[in-house]
Amino acid sequence: MEPRKKFLRSNDRIIAGVCGGIADYFDADPTIVRLLYVLLTFCTAFSGILLYPVLWIIMPEETRR
């Protein structure tokens, strides 16, 4: 049985590691996730500006390996 993935902030970070953590969880490129975040922020009346700090607080930080 495979261990469950955890939703963690990544050490591959620009600001807080939220987009990097999302990319790790979905096995995606962090740059693509960051670009999608910016695009969705502009398309949703800047609601991403409110979402990012909430995820920053909620997501635990990844421990260094």
Side-chain angles (χ1 to χ4, degrees), residues 37 48-58:
Y37 167 75
I49 293 173
L50 299 174
L51 180 64
Y52 198 89
V54 170
L55 289 174
W56 188 349
I57 293 168
I58 292 174

Side-chain angles (χ1 to χ4, degrees), residues 24-39:
D24 286 344
Y25 186 80
F26 291 110
D27 293 323
D29 184 20
T31 305
I32 301 296
V33 174
R34 290 178 184 117
L35 289 173
L36 285 172
Y37 167 75
V38 169
L39 180 68

Side-chain angles (χ1 to χ4, degrees), residues 6-26:
K6 294 184 179 179
F7 205 58
L8 303 170
R9 286 187 288 144
S10 175
N11 291 324
D12 175 20
R13 60 180 62 188
I14 300 253
I15 296 176
V18 172
C19 290
I22 292 170
D24 286 344
Y25 186 80
F26 291 110

Side-chain angles (χ1 to χ4, degrees), residues 1-5:
M1 185 173 199
E2 189 175 313
R4 287 182 71 178
K5 282 185 162 183

